[in-house]
Structure formats: C-alpha cells, structure tokens
Amino acid sequence: MTELGLREAKRRATAHALAEAAFDLAVEHGVDGFTIDDVATHAGYSRRTFANHFSCKEEAITGLAVERLREGLETLPPMPADTPLLDWLMALARHQLSGGMLPLLQQLRQLAREHHGLEPYLADVQLQIRRMAQDAVAARAGSNVSRLSSHILVGAAYGALMSVLDGRVPIRLPGDPEPPSGDSVTVDEFLSTVFTHLRRGF
C-alpha cells in the first residue's frame, strides 16, 4: 500500500472511531447528554482531531452510517462479471442490511425523532448513501446500462428502503419474535419482494 493509501486508511479509521463513539454515546445518553470532548475522549483522540473530521456531534453521530456503507461496499464478496445487475444489487443490499446497516439506520431515525436538530444531518447522510449506491451501480454496470436506467434502479431500491426506515414496512430482524399481527417481514422476504417487482420492469 502506498503512503497516500496508508494515510487515507488511517484518516478513515479515525473518522470511523469518532463516529462510532458519538453514536454509542447518543444511544446511551441521548443527543443532548454528552459533549464533543466526551466523544473525543471516548474514541481516544483530541478535540482538535474531532474538528478535523466533523463540524459537530450531530454530524459525527449520523456519519457512522456512511462509514458502514463504505465498509459494506468494500467487503462485498466478489461475483462473476456476468452476474445480472439486479442480482448484484440484491446481493449488495442483503450484504449491507445483514451487516447491521438496517438497525443502525432505524436507530438514527429514532434519535432524530427525539432530537430534531439531528434531522438535517440524517437527511444529508441519506443523500450520501444514495449517491454512493448510484456510483457503485454505475461502476458495476459500465456501458451495459444507461445512466438514466441506473438512476431509476437505485431510486426504486432506495425508495423501498425508505419505507422500512419510516416504519411503514415493519422488518423483523434475526432473533426478533414475530408480532401477533403477523404483518412484519424478514429482510430476505422484503428484498425478495422488492427485487421481484424490479425485475418485472428491468
């Protein structure tokens, strides 16, 4: 790895540690229950280092989702080059959601309901997630799929995910008991339904 690569890896590791510390403190104490100094101390860094990565604790709290998304993109198991794009995207979605992204995003949404100052930062993170997904799909598709088609595909998949985050589609995570109403679905059931509908249009 080059010196530049090592420096970037260190920068990202620091940002991840600070974001994780901020998120953990927010879950434990509430957004108003800790300071930037607490985040820096919890992560083992200085306040100045925090300021090099985040403008405020709200940005750090929500930034954990972006860090997790990057990790998920980088750790997606390789698939054959001729794997259909929808199959690849479904595998990516399953990899991300099974890796803890869904409960993280749900917790961020709950924190934003309790602390409205978090909402614009969460909205910005959701936009970053969509853009990163768009870039990943475009890179995977290459010239085989038009840019417009890849935007539509990502938009449809992202819209389905937002219905989960808003609580309109209740998701049952592994280990969760099935509610008496029986109207929840597992991650696999959700993804299967979403991508069945997408395949009918692509």
Side-chain angles (χ1 to χ4, degrees):
M1 185 179 286
T2 65
E3 182 179 345
L4 182 62
L6 287 170
R7 190 181 303 127
E8 175 62 15
K10 183 178 179 181
R11 186 197 68 78
R12 283 182 49 187
T14 301
H16 188 282
L18 289 164
E20 193 163 46
F23 176 79
D24 289 345
L25 288 168
V27 170
E28 186 175 353
H29 302 291
V31 176
D32 292 326
F34 65 98
T35 66
I36 288 175
D37 286 330
D38 293 329
V39 176
T41 299
H42 193 77
Y45 294 99
S46 68
R47 184 186 178 97
R48 181 177 178 180
T49 299
F50 179 95
N52 289 337
H53 293 275
F54 301 105
S55 62
C56 60
K57 63 183 180 181
E58 287 84 359
E59 184 182 14
I61 293 166
T62 54
L64 184 59
V66 175
E67 296 300 321
R68 290 271 179 88
L69 178 64
R70 285 196 184 106
E71 287 179 358
L73 288 169
E74 292 170 356
T75 59
L76 178 67
M79 284 179 274
D82 60 352
T83 301
L85 184 59
L86 275 171
D87 292 347
W88 178 85
L89 184 56
M90 183 174 178
L92 174 62
R94 179 179 284 111
H95 180 66
Q96 291 281 11
L97 295 179
S98 64
M101 179 64 90
L102 180 57
L104 170 61
L105 291 172
Q106 288 174 328
Q107 283 183 296
L108 286 173
R109 172 55 60 194
Q110 182 58 41
L111 286 170
R113 289 193 187 102
E114 297 165 358
H115 183 83
H116 296 300
L118 202 62
E119 289 180 349
Y121 296 94
L122 181 57
D124 182 64
V125 163
Q126 290 170 343
L127 179 59
Q128 289 184 62
I129 289 173
R130 180 167 179 166
R131 285 175 175 167
M132 289 172 69
Q134 181 63 55
D135 290 345
V137 169
R140 175 72 185 190
S143 60
N144 295 326
V145 176
S146 72
R147 186 167 182 80
L148 176 59
S149 293
S150 67
H151 275 290
I152 293 171
L153 177 57
V154 171
Y158 181 83
L161 176 60
M162 289 309 298
S163 70
V164 171
L165 299 183
D166 289 342
R168 297 177 187 181
V169 177
I171 292 289
R172 190 170 67 255
L173 297 173
D176 288 350
E178 186 168 353
S181 62
D183 62 352
S184 68
V185 295
T186 65
V187 169
D188 279 344
E189 290 169 340
F190 171 73
L191 291 176
S192 177
T193 300
V194 168
F195 281 88
T196 294
H197 286 292
L198 287 176
R199 284 188 180 92
R200 290 173 182 167
F202 280 79

